[in-house]
Amino acid sequence: MNSKITNRIALSVIIVCAAAMAAILISMLGYILVRGVSSISWHFLTTSASPFLAGGGIKDQLWNSFYVLIITMILTVPIGVCGGIYLAEYAKPGRLTSFIRTCVEVLASLPSIVVGMFGMLVFVNYFGFKYSVFSGALALTVFNLPVIVRVTEDGFNALSLHQKEGGLALGLTHWHTIKTILLPAAFPSILTGVILSAGRVFGESAALLFTAGLSTPDLDFGNWNPSAPNSPLNLFRSAETLSVHIWSVNTGGIMPDVQTIANGSAAVLVIFVLLFNLCARMLGKVINQKFSGK
Amino acid sequence: MEKNIVSFTNNTVTKELPIQINVENVNIFYGDNHAVKDVNLPIHEKSITALIGPSGCGKSTFLRTVNRMNDLIPSARCEGTISYKDVNILNPKLDVVQLRKEIGMVFQQPNPFPKSISENIQLPLRFAGVRNKKTLKDATEDCLKQVGLWDEVKDRLDRSATSLSGGQQQRLCIARALALKPDVILLDEPTSALDPVSSSKIEELLLELKNSYTIIIVTHNMQQAARIADYTAFFYQGELIEFGQTRTLFTNPEKQSTSDYISGRFG
Amino acid sequence: MEKNIVSFTNNTVTKELPIQINVENVNIFYGDNHAVKDVNLPIHEKSITALIGPSGCGKSTFLRTVNRMNDLIPSARCEGTISYKDVNILNPKLDVVQLRKEIGMVFQQPNPFPKSISENIQLPLRFAGVRNKKTLKDATEDCLKQVGLWDEVKDRLDRSATSLSGGQQQRLCIARALALKPDVILLDEPTSALDPVSSSKIEELLLELKNSYTIIIVTHNMQQAARIADYTAFFYQGELIEFGQTRTLFTNPEKQSTSDYISGRFG
Amino acid sequence: MKIGKVVTDAAPASRNRSKLINEKGFFSRLTDRTSESRGKLLIYGSALLMIVAVTAITLFLTIQGLRSFVVDRLNFWTFITGTEWFPDRAKNPSFGAFPFIFGSMAVTFLAALIATPIAIGTALFMAEIAKKWGAKIMQPVIEILVGIPSVVYGLIGLSIVVPFMRQHFGGTGFNLITGAIVVGIMILPTVASIAADSIRAVPDSLRQASYAIGATKWQTIWRVVIPAAGSSLLTAIILGMSRAFGEALAVQMVIGNVGKIPSSILDPSATLTTIITLSMGHTTTGSLLNDALWSLGLILLLISYVFIVIIRFIGKKGEKR
Amino acid sequence: GNGSGSSDSSSSSKDSSSSSEALSGKITIGGSTALQPLAAQVAKEFMEKNPDVQIEVQGGGSGTGLSEAQAGNFDIGMSDVFAESKSNIDAKALKDYQVAVVGMTAAVNPKAGVKNLTKKQLQDVFTGKVKNWKDVGGKDLKITLVNRPDGSGTRATFDQFALDNKTPAEGITQDSTNTVKKIISETPGAVGYMALSYFTANDTSVTKLSIDGVEASDENVGSGKFPVWAYEHMYTKGEPSKLVKAFLDFMMSDDVQTKDVPAQGYLSVKDMKVQRDADGKQTDK
Ligand SMILES: Nc1ncnc2c1ncn2[C@@H]1O[C@H](COP(=O)(O)OP(=O)(O)OP(=O)(O)O)[C@@H](O)[C@H]1O
Ligand SMILES: Nc1ncnc2c1ncn2[C@@H]1O[C@H](COP(=O)(O)OP(=O)(O)OP(=O)(O)O)[C@@H](O)[C@H]1O
Ligand SMILES: [Mg+2]
Ligand SMILES: [Mg+2]
Ligand SMILES: O=P([O-])([O-])[O-]
């Protein structure tokens, strides 16, 4: 009898915890969206920010966020996937592997501000990339690399050994087995991980504060020559991203509609994170189905 | 067993066949675990050799050493000589990739690649450098016909191999192993994950394949060994207890433990 | 099999024992998959009943229903009556926690808790509310003695149970099941992951335990069934094909498929 | 010794070797081998790059962070134990970083204290009680929350938690516990999802064993599942703590940023990260305050290493069992 | 190895010898976040007039502005304070352009019930000598201080000219004037300080404090009666290039000084009847 009552109580407590979590999460999401969605309009999304007048938008910031994200992904995905493959397939248990693993963990759990400071020191000043898209992307690479490494390693480890044996037993080289059999099979889970990590990159601010800068030149969206200083594609121009914008507007914005802009930007950010998640799920499902042939 | 229903009709070893692979003093270790102890064994060309023995006796370990699949296990270590075509398979300098093209392997769990049926057959060929579309297509048809799968799948070669049933998958894996025209095929309990009907199809297939290939099969089903193998090797606790023509080994075992095992006193 | 070495000396069912569990019209489904079909079966007190049959025929599914372990699988659904002590085990309102104390279970893979040996035995007692140190200690010794493990581990009761060998772990799991003094013990292929020596130790143990407990055992080893079971039930594709005293079933099966199976024609 | 060669030489003519195999000449094998080595190059290079990254970060931050002691001759000991932070005081400025170290620790532990029960409870719910629900609803929601930028958490803290604290506990609402609550909520999803993973990793055979000896669900969770998941649960909590420790902007928005050791959790406080973001832009490169901030960054780095060492230690212990 | 290949600010403008010729090239401006919006606005107007000119306006803070100007990374470094007041900056190497003036005063929560304090009272409040508003003629309400961080230009100015360099007591510190204002308006008894531009005309959420009976208005700052104000500076490293000079001239033009500068809540330098040097000494113009 006694153990049954304990059981009831304990399980209820767990359910209460989960309910509390759900409540916190849902009310937060709701709060951001409810407060922010009313300020989102086509105008808001397609107008540049105004230095001090009301009615500014977030066009440049939104573009910058995506641009920094894309550059970061271009830098991290190939390296991260290779690193993950190393750990999953080539690393022999030993000191070196353990050290590399520690490095991955170190990179993954560095405070973002430390990464920002490092980026400022090395990319901005030492290499002279200035406050720029490129410096920002390099700093974000530091964060994102370990995430991709882990995702890849997990993806590979989740594959059954059978497939690998199948490949090797057919006289395929190890690398070829990885390339033609294991990587495609692990692809869905890697992709899901990459898209989920995109959410974090999209929302990072502290590190970008010190590396990508707090401003954006007057972008000319008609000029796609990457070497032009006002081109949206220029890698070496400063780029305030959306989440940095939220921070800076909230900190020192003198436009009358500071609150509206901050709320709207937050809602846009959250909506994009939601979209990334949805994409991850759907793509994962579709690709999984394709691979399993159902 | 009260009845003797097993017939030895397939084990028609009338004359000794030439030796394809010769195993001499092979010892295999996993770290400190001495898994296979001092095994000497001839594998005859174009015949089926069955490896039997209780669980954990080292059958799989031994089999996987023949095409060096055990290289994948970092702790595994191997001593001795396995002669094949004048080379020692255990030579560390050996080109294992090439070796595995000549000594194919089929596993307990069917492991088709999550790709289309035809790609499963073509992948090894492509890797071996075959580019010609026609050659690839012909080879696909040829291999699938050899395992009797052609008629069942010819209309859906582009469908994913994972959509096949377990038995079909296993035959596909055998077909895949045949694509490279190996000399030897190793099979590790290829039927134990299958239903009886699929199993017997594969047994028939093996009997046919032995006309062109040397086959080594691990099985825990003694009836299966009795039905299809020309030679049988009985392993026990890492040692090769007895080896001989299947009929002799089953009807007139030399060792008490062989007799105990095949009569089901343990295992 | 040329020789008949299997003796039925252990299957000494001279008179019909009273029925402990009566299975009537039991059907079990996983979603749409009808895994066990309309089974009727009596389980006799203080005897060993073996469930045999090819892989996937529903042996485990049936066994797990007897102590409602299948409740853990959300898609599993069960119909029919399993009478035990005047209650229907399948009654949804039944106190399954109590039921499982009376009908213990041992699994194919030894699954000791990653705790010390003595805690493994004491945990079920603690769950049941036993707090007294002395009682717990005595019970530990008692149970370990019953499974013949006491002498092997008495000096290292505080060591982790995972440091034991597979066979020892399995005996520990049996000891753990005995701790609550159940009426019935269910065993699902308890020896198939073990080496021959450990297996035969467990077989001996079961023969001893049947003096005090009712035992149902799933096995894929027909020799094992023949050696230790008083009654044997043969399942095939979810149906109970034949049930009877082991000697009768093995020497004189009524159905052709039973005869085929035990003679190794399939499976 | 190359088997391939042996074959072509020794293969008897009678052997019906298909021309498929004959097509495979010296060249294709060369490409096989280069592709293997090319792949290896790529892969070892990537692994190396991670070592380089960590080394570079450590090196650069160390050099920069030691300037205040080496160049500016601040006393290391008084720097980390001093409680007075008056870098701009006209007469004898003082650099005592202890309040920030203390603040960071306090926020981290309080946040863990707030987040752990809810997160573990949720993880248990998802992985043990309502698996379907957990996988279908909780997991996605949690993943979305992991992706919400910390600035947004700060914004919400500013507009909900701070006014709430002010109304119910007086003061300004900007204080240690507000910071801890905001960060605690921020790390909730991280801890919960890792904890859920580690609970799911407990083999089902243990649960079965437990149920089979008549355990209730709670007994199974408490006596079997949690001990078995033990070390990885701890890892989840510590990972959450390391995230809390490194958080900057969200904390800065709500903690009050007072460089004094708080006398209660309702006092405003400051952390290593907040003082860095707060002051960095106002300082000039090479100035004393700037160097001191880099030293704080170095301390931040070192403490995050400590977290990793702890995690690895726990992981190793978990493996051994 | 410099990433921004096109950032050489003056190369192209050097070639154009005649001043009537169109300007071209790139200017990087950075530093004070307070001045950033004004600079951005003026830059925008300048670029409209000179389509071949690219101006990038970055933030980073006054310290960054000075450091980077000194290092040559910014063509113009913006600062809220005199370069002389910052360590590690060689003020002599920098050329100072005072482009605007910002007035500041204390802001009090209306519930405190004070509208005016003497300088002495103000100092007592901020140094923590007085802990309740009733001691300075207000309601019985605890005083809560809200500070700006060390190194902030606003804080430096307030400390220097309102508190006469006395060190303020510890209080909540916020880097954001918006947040400071929010806290003051929401917390009974809170007091802080901010630029006059943040006090909007009919905004009663915070009380704008007079000091020694002098209202903190643009006129009083301009006439020198109200002491708490500072220049907004633009620094160049040595003499500016032609292009940068043209921009700075534009910055000081009547157009900008009478339109953009007041629009953002600054005073035009031209409206000042007094001036100050780096030591804070105030003299009539
Ligand atoms: N990867 C491994 N690492 C360490 N030991 C291993 C490994 N694989 C097998 N062993 C050990 O080697 C011995 C032989 O194992 P092996 O798999 O060859 O047996 P088997 O005869 O194939 O058994 P089964 O019938 O169960 O497949 C066993 O003691 C086993 O525990
Ligand atoms: N958890 C499950 N969910 C769905 N179907 C299941 C599940 N477990 C078993 N089945 C199906 O139920 C049928 C009977 O399975 P069961 O495990 O009872 O067979 P078995 O006789 O114990 O086989 P084996 O000898 O391999 O253990 C099989 O078709 C199997 O695929
Ligand atoms: Mg095996
Ligand atoms: Mg089973
Ligand atoms: O203008 P500030 O330097 O006080 O931010």
Side-chain angles (χ1 to χ4, degrees):
Chain A
M1 264 306 115
N2 199 356
S3 70
K4 258 190 216 156
I5 295 167
T6 325
N7 188 42
R8 279 272 163 76
I9 295 172
L11 295 189
S12 316
V13 169
I14 291 177
I15 291 170
V16 168
C17 282
M21 176 76 125
I24 290 173
L25 303 191
I26 289 164
S27 56
M28 266 189 52
L29 279 180
Y31 183 81
I32 298 168
L33 292 178
V34 165
R35 287 221 322 181
V37 164
S38 57
S39 28
I40 302 178
S41 62
W42 188 240
H43 175 83
F44 184 67
L45 293 176
T46 56
T47 314
S48 294
S50 137
F52 65 100
L53 295 175
I58 54 170
K59 177 177 74 176
D60 297 348
Q61 284 74 17
L62 200 54
W63 164 258
N64 287 339
S65 290
F66 275 110
Y67 195 37
V68 170
L69 171 67
I70 289 167
I71 301 292
T72 308
M73 287 303 170
I74 290 175
L75 291 173
T76 46
V77 171
I79 302 176
V81 168
C82 287
I85 292 176
Y86 170 80
L87 286 179
E89 290 291 324
Y90 286 93
K92 296 184 188 73
R95 286 233 173 129
L96 180 69
T97 305
S98 157
F99 181 64
I100 291 178
R101 234 180 220 121
T102 311
C103 284
V104 174
E105 272 168 37
V106 166
L107 291 179
S109 59
L110 282 179
S112 52
I113 181 173
V114 167
V115 175
M117 291 168 83
F118 169 74
M120 178 163 83
L121 201 59
V122 175
F123 307 134
V124 175
N125 292 329
Y126 188 79
F127 288 119
F129 299 146
K130 305 257 173 85
Y131 293 107
S132 65
V133 173
F134 194 59
S135 300
L138 284 174
L140 291 182
T141 297
V142 173
F143 284 130
N144 207 41
L145 200 56
V147 179
I148 308 284
V149 167
R150 256 196 217 156
V151 164
T152 308
E153 193 189 353
D154 289 350
F156 269 74
N157 285 340
L159 299 179
S160 66
L161 193 62
H162 301 311
Q163 305 262 319
K164 183 175 164 187
E165 286 187 328
L168 291 176
L170 287 173
L172 270 55
T173 59
H174 194 178
W175 173 241
H176 203 77
T177 309
I178 290 169
K179 219 169 59 176
T180 52
I181 296 163
L182 300 184
L183 194 56
F187 183 73
S189 58
I190 296 176
L191 185 76
T192 312
V194 166
I195 296 181
L196 289 178
S197 80
R200 186 162 170 224
V201 169
F202 201 74
E204 177 54 43
S205 45
L208 290 175
L209 224 53
F210 293 122
T211 51
L214 280 158
S215 59
T216 308
D218 232 14
L219 294 184
D220 174 4
F221 280 87
N223 181 357
W224 294 95
N225 170 11
S227 63
N230 61 347
S231 160
L233 287 184
N234 189 333
L235 277 178
F236 296 101
R237 61 175 177 83
S238 65
E240 185 190 40
T241 64
L242 198 52
S243 48
V244 173
H245 188 57
I246 297 178
W247 159 257
S248 68
V249 160
N250 187 62
T251 301
I254 54 167
M255 44 294 238
D257 53 352
V258 165
Q259 206 58 46
T260 321
I261 293 176
N263 291 340
S265 307
V268 170
L269 255 179
V270 169
I271 288 171
F272 274 104
V273 172
L274 278 169
L275 285 180
F276 284 135
N277 271 271
L278 279 181
C279 279
R281 260 158 231 293
M282 296 208 309
L283 263 174
K285 230 185 219 160
V286 168
I287 294 176
N288 209 3
Q289 270 176 4
K290 216 179 135 206
F291 274 115
S292 56
K294 271 163 215 155
Chain B
M1 305 293 100
E2 309 296 271
K3 305 180 190 177
N4 172 14
I5 337 183
V6 182
S7 61
F8 291 90
T9 44
N10 296 313
N11 321 52
T12 48
V13 191
T14 41
K15 59 169 188 346
E16 283 281 303
L17 293 159
I19 291 174
Q20 172 114 356
I21 298 177
N22 200 18
V23 178
E24 286 162 278
N25 306 321
V26 164
N27 284 284
I28 311 172
F29 306 81
Y30 293 108
D32 294 339
N33 180 4
H34 197 165
V36 168
K37 294 169 195 156
D38 221 20
V39 167
N40 289 278
L41 182 68
I43 304 291
H44 297 269
E45 215 176 79
K46 297 194 182 167
S47 67
I48 299 181
T49 305
L51 311 181
I52 63 169
S55 189
C57 67
K59 307 179 294 291
S60 300
T61 302
F62 173 74
L63 191 74
R64 293 165 55 90
T65 305
V66 174
N67 74 342
R68 293 276 294 272
M69 286 303 284
N70 255 5
D71 285 16
L72 294 186
I73 299 167
S75 69
R77 195 161 45 81
C78 195
E79 289 166 6
T81 313
I82 304 182
S83 326
Y84 164 69
K85 290 187 180 169
D86 303 333
V87 299
N88 177 7
I89 286 180
L90 301 182
N91 185 335
K93 292 204 195 116
L94 189 92
D95 180 358
V96 292
V97 168
Q98 180 58 31
L99 174 74
R100 289 176 191 151
K101 286 179 189 163
E102 302 189 12
I103 304 185
M105 184 155 187
V106 174
F107 300 85
Q108 180 170 12
Q109 290 292 334
N111 56 359
F113 304 130
K115 299 176 179 270
S116 75
I117 294 171
S118 52
E119 273 177 277
N120 261 280
I121 310 276
Q122 292 170 6
L123 196 74
L125 295 173
R126 272 187 224 274
F127 186 66
V130 182
R131 290 279 172 277
N132 185 314
K133 285 247 167 94
K134 174 102 178 53
T135 322
L136 287 171
K137 244 182 112 185
D138 291 350
T140 311
E141 183 172 341
D142 186 44
C143 293
L144 289 174
K145 274 186 177 154
Q146 280 193 64
V147 298
L149 206 57
W150 178 248
D151 289 330
E152 295 168 45
V153 303
K154 64 170 178 249
D155 303 326
R156 45 174 179 158
L157 292 174
D158 291 334
R159 290 272 299 280
S160 168
T162 49
S163 66
L164 297 175
S165 79
Q168 288 174 322
Q169 287 188 12
Q170 193 63 298
R171 278 184 287 155
L172 180 67
C173 291
I174 297 176
R176 192 174 62 182
L178 298 181
L180 288 169
K181 306 241 178 291
D183 295 329
V184 183
I185 306 172
L186 313 175
L187 303 106
D188 193 352
E189 306 192 16
T191 63
S192 73
L194 303 182
D195 59 292
V197 179
S198 307
S199 295
S200 65
K201 272 201 180 161
I202 291 200
E203 286 182 14
E204 279 164 34
L205 169 61
L206 293 179
L207 286 173
E208 213 158 283
L209 290 178
K210 83 165 175 178
N211 297 322
S212 334
Y213 305 91
T214 305
I215 292 174
I216 311 179
I217 179 172
V218 167
T219 175
H220 61 203
N221 182 331
M222 274 157 295
Q223 280 78 30
Q224 186 172 69
R227 276 194 299 271
I228 65 171
D230 303 305
Y231 300 93
T232 297
F234 170 59
F235 282 74
Y236 183 55
Q237 299 192 332
E239 287 177 73
L240 174 63
I241 303 296
E242 196 165 344
F243 170 78
Q245 296 208 356
T246 304
R247 179 185 288 267
T248 325
L249 193 122
F250 271 77
T251 53
N252 207 359
E254 276 174 22
K255 302 274 166 63
Q256 182 57 36
S257 56
T258 314
S259 150
D260 284 356
Y261 181 70
I262 58 179
S263 62
R265 201 178 300 236
F266 65 80
Chain C
M1 308 292 103
E2 310 297 88
K3 303 182 193 172
N4 171 14
I5 338 182
V6 182
S7 60
F8 290 90
T9 43
N10 296 314
N11 321 52
T12 50
V13 190
T14 42
K15 58 170 187 352
E16 282 282 299
L17 294 159
I19 291 174
Q20 173 115 356
I21 297 177
N22 200 17
V23 178
E24 286 163 277
N25 305 320
V26 164
N27 284 284
I28 312 173
F29 306 82
Y30 292 109
D32 293 340
N33 179 5
H34 198 164
V36 169
K37 295 168 194 157
D38 220 18
V39 167
N40 289 278
L41 183 69
I43 303 291
H44 297 269
E45 213 175 81
K46 298 196 178 163
S47 66
I48 298 181
T49 304
L51 311 182
I52 63 171
S55 191
C57 67
K59 307 179 294 291
S60 300
T61 302
F62 174 75
L63 191 74
R64 292 163 56 88
T65 306
V66 175
N67 73 342
R68 292 276 293 273
M69 286 301 284
N70 257 4
D71 285 16
L72 299 182
I73 299 167
S75 70
R77 196 161 43 82
C78 194
E79 288 167 8
T81 312
I82 303 182
S83 324
Y84 164 72
K85 289 190 179 165
D86 301 336
V87 298
N88 177 7
I89 287 179
L90 301 182
N91 185 337
K93 292 206 194 111
L94 189 91
D95 179 358
V96 291
V97 168
Q98 183 57 35
L99 173 73
R100 290 176 191 150
K101 286 179 189 161
E102 298 185 18
I103 304 184
M105 184 153 187
V106 174
F107 301 84
Q108 178 171 11
Q109 290 292 335
N111 54 1
F113 300 120
K115 298 172 177 263
S116 75
I117 294 171
S118 52
E119 272 176 279
N120 262 282
I121 309 279
Q122 292 170 6
L123 207 59
L125 296 170
R126 275 185 219 272
F127 284 161
V130 180
R131 289 280 170 278
N132 186 314
K133 285 247 166 94
K134 174 101 178 52
T135 322
L136 289 171
K137 241 182 115 186
D138 292 349
T140 311
E141 182 171 341
D142 187 44
C143 293
L144 289 174
K145 275 187 177 152
Q146 280 192 65
V147 299
L149 207 57
W150 177 248
D151 290 328
E152 295 169 43
V153 303
K154 65 171 177 249
D155 303 326
R156 44 173 180 160
L157 291 174
D158 292 334
R159 290 272 297 281
S160 170
T162 47
S163 67
L164 297 175
S165 78
Q168 289 175 322
Q169 287 187 12
Q170 193 62 297
R171 279 185 285 156
L172 180 67
C173 290
I174 297 176
R176 189 175 63 185
L178 298 180
L180 288 169
K181 306 229 177 300
D183 294 329
V184 183
I185 306 173
L186 314 176
L187 303 105
D188 192 353
E189 305 190 17
T191 62
S192 72
L194 303 182
D195 60 294
V197 179
S198 307
S199 294
S200 67
K201 270 202 182 161
I202 291 199
E203 285 184 15
E204 279 164 34
L205 170 61
L206 292 180
L207 286 172
E208 211 159 283
L209 290 178
K210 83 164 176 177
N211 297 324
S212 335
Y213 305 92
T214 305
I215 293 173
I216 311 180
I217 179 171
V218 168
T219 176
H220 62 204
N221 182 329
M222 275 157 293
Q223 281 76 30
Q224 185 171 69
R227 277 194 298 272
I228 64 170
D230 303 305
Y231 300 93
T232 297
F234 170 60
F235 283 74
Y236 183 56
Q237 299 192 331
E239 285 178 74
L240 175 62
I241 303 295
E242 195 165 346
F243 171 78
Q245 295 208 357
T246 303
R247 178 186 289 268
T248 325
L249 193 121
F250 271 76
T251 52
N252 206 0
E254 277 174 23
K255 302 273 166 64
Q256 182 58 36
S257 57
T258 313
S259 151
D260 285 357
Y261 181 72
I262 57 180
S263 62
R265 204 180 296 238
F266 68 82
Chain D
M1 194 165 338
K2 294 281 146 51
I3 276 249
K5 181 137 185 309
V6 176
V7 172
T8 31
D9 290 349
S14 65
R15 199 70 104 50
N16 187 15
R17 288 209 141 252
S18 135
K19 63 180 193 308
L20 288 181
I21 297 300
N22 290 339
E23 276 177 35
K24 169 188 52 125
F26 172 74
F27 247 105
S28 56
R29 245 182 299 128
L30 185 75
T31 37
D32 293 355
R33 218 155 291 140
T34 43
S35 92
E36 174 76 27
S37 47
R38 208 187 310 139
K40 265 194 179 164
L41 196 73
L42 217 66
I43 279 170
Y44 281 82
S46 304
L48 191 71
L49 201 76
M50 278 176 288
I51 302 180
V52 170
V54 171
T55 319
I57 289 178
T58 313
L59 207 70
F60 276 94
L61 263 107
T62 308
I63 292 174
Q64 192 71 15
L66 289 180
R67 268 182 63 98
S68 58
F69 309 117
V70 177
V71 179
D72 305 317
R73 309 239 154 244
L74 287 183
N75 179 309
F76 176 74
W77 190 243
T78 51
F79 184 79
I80 60 164
T81 57
T83 56
E84 301 238 302
W85 181 262
F86 291 115
D88 261 15
R89 195 159 56 187
K91 275 173 277 168
N92 62 38
S94 87
F95 292 87
F98 187 70
F100 307 118
I101 299 174
F102 180 86
S104 281
M105 295 289 180
V107 167
T108 305
F109 282 103
L110 288 174
L113 220 57
I114 293 166
T116 303
I118 302 180
I120 303 280
T122 306
L124 286 171
F125 179 81
M126 293 195 320
E128 290 289 323
I129 295 182
K131 288 187 195 160
K132 240 191 189 155
W133 243 75
K136 281 235 166 83
I137 298 177
M138 295 295 273
Q139 189 74 24
V141 177
I142 282 179
E143 272 168 18
I144 289 166
L145 276 134
V146 172
I148 288 188
S150 56
V151 195
V152 174
Y153 280 94
L155 217 54
I156 291 181
L158 209 54
S159 43
I160 297 182
V161 187
V162 170
F164 178 88
M165 295 304 287
R166 181 166 50 229
Q167 265 168 31
H168 294 273
F169 299 96
T172 56
F174 291 85
N175 54 40
L176 185 57
I177 191 71
T178 308
I181 289 172
V182 170
V183 179
I185 291 175
M186 199 182 91
I187 63 172
L188 261 183
T190 311
V191 180
S193 74
I194 304 174
D197 284 347
S198 60
I199 290 169
R200 288 194 193 105
V202 173
D204 252 347
S205 65
L206 291 182
R207 291 187 189 93
Q208 294 201 359
S210 174
Y211 288 126
I213 53 173
T216 61
K217 194 149 211 155
W218 172 244
Q219 285 171 330
T220 303
I221 290 173
W222 183 242
R223 296 298 198 112
V224 177
V225 175
I226 291 184
S231 63
S232 20
L233 283 181
L234 211 54
T235 307
I237 296 167
I238 290 175
L239 271 175
M241 286 170 73
S242 95
R243 186 154 182 220
F245 186 79
E247 179 47 39
L249 302 186
V251 186
Q252 193 201 312
M253 285 162 135
V254 299
I255 200 169
N257 308 310
V258 171
K260 221 173 67 178
I261 296 179
S263 52
S264 86
I265 54 170
L266 288 171
D267 274 359
S269 176
T271 70
L272 290 166
T273 53
T274 65
I275 186 69
I276 294 173
T277 44
L278 210 54
S279 303
M280 203 59 155
H282 297 298
T283 63
T284 50
T285 321
S287 64
L288 185 53
L289 176 54
N290 187 272
D291 288 346
L293 293 177
W294 282 101
S295 302
L296 296 181
L298 179 61
I299 293 175
L300 206 54
L301 182 74
L302 294 181
I303 298 182
S304 74
Y305 283 180
V306 171
F307 279 114
I308 289 155
V309 169
I310 295 173
I311 290 171
R312 298 233 68 170
F313 182 74
I314 293 171
K316 279 229 178 82
K317 254 189 132 178
E319 263 167 41
K320 263 190 213 141
R321 278 200 304 134
Chain E
N2 188 326
S4 45
S6 57
S7 74
D8 192 354
S9 56
S10 46
S11 59
S12 42
S13 58
K14 248 176 221 158
D15 313 329
S16 51
S17 44
S18 128
S19 61
S20 63
E21 226 167 275
L23 292 162
S24 66
K26 190 185 169 195
I27 307 178
T28 307
I29 305 176
S32 161
T33 46
L35 194 51
Q36 193 187 349
L38 176 63
Q41 178 64 26
V42 175
K44 205 164 153 192
E45 289 168 19
F46 189 75
M47 284 188 286
E48 271 160 24
K49 287 206 169 75
N50 303 285
D52 287 340
V53 176
Q54 266 303 315
I55 304 179
E56 193 171 317
V57 182
Q58 304 185 351
S62 301
T64 312
L66 289 168
S67 302
E68 299 291 302
Q70 174 163 288
N73 291 333
F74 289 164
D75 299 308
I76 298 176
M78 302 181 287
S79 171
D80 305 334
V81 294
F82 277 100
E84 284 82 353
S85 69
K86 289 278 182 188
S87 54
N88 269 62
I89 294 292
D90 180 11
K92 287 195 199 75
L94 296 175
K95 195 157 170 10
D96 186 8
Y97 293 84
Q98 293 156 0
V99 297
V101 166
V102 57
M104 300 160 198
T105 189
V108 190
N109 182 277
K111 291 215 178 83
V114 291
K115 288 204 155 56
N116 175 42
L117 288 179
T118 65
K119 213 173 192 181
K120 174 78 180 46
Q121 283 174 325
L122 190 68
Q123 288 171 8
D124 288 348
V125 166
F126 273 93
T127 53
K129 260 192 211 138
V130 167
K131 299 226 186 293
N132 195 304
W133 285 112
K134 70 171 191 259
D135 298 334
V136 290
K139 306 254 175 61
D140 180 7
L141 198 58
K142 202 171 148 273
I143 295 175
T144 305
L145 290 185
V146 185
N147 272 331
R148 298 293 309 280
D150 295 306
S152 137
T154 313
R155 174 167 178 165
T157 307
F158 191 80
D159 285 4
Q160 190 176 0
F161 300 108
L163 304 185
D164 294 334
N165 284 325
K166 296 201 168 61
T167 307
E170 286 288 358
I172 291 173
T173 308
Q174 289 295 350
D175 199 19
S176 142
T177 305
N178 286 325
T179 314
V180 169
K181 187 175 175 190
K182 193 162 181 272
I183 297 173
I184 296 172
S185 69
E186 287 172 358
T187 316
V191 61
Y193 42 85
M194 52 182 117
L196 296 185
S197 52
Y198 287 88
F199 299 93
T200 32
N202 15 2
D203 178 8
T204 53
S205 65
V206 297
T207 305
K208 179 161 131 187
L209 212 58
S210 301
I211 300 177
D212 288 332
V214 180
E215 197 204 337
S217 65
D218 287 355
E219 297 82 64
N220 289 338
V221 170
S223 66
K225 271 196 234 159
F226 190 81
V228 194
W229 60 269
Y231 290 115
E232 292 292 351
H233 308 259
M234 285 191 169
Y235 281 100
T236 58
K237 187 181 183 185
E239 280 302 318
S241 71
K242 190 163 171 207
L243 175 65
V244 174
K245 183 80 174 59
F247 175 77
L248 288 167
D249 287 346
F250 181 68
M251 185 84 212
M252 302 305 291
S253 69
D254 282 346
D255 214 19
V256 170
Q257 288 288 330
T258 57
K259 205 183 82 226
D260 295 325
V261 170
Q264 296 206 16
Y266 294 110
L267 275 79
S268 166
V269 204
K270 316 225 148 127
D271 295 340
M272 294 301 291
K273 299 194 177 63
V274 292
Q275 62 188 16
R276 247 187 211 151
D277 62 14
D279 298 328
K281 229 188 276 143
Q282 186 165 319
T283 51
D284 286 343
K285 249 204 220 172

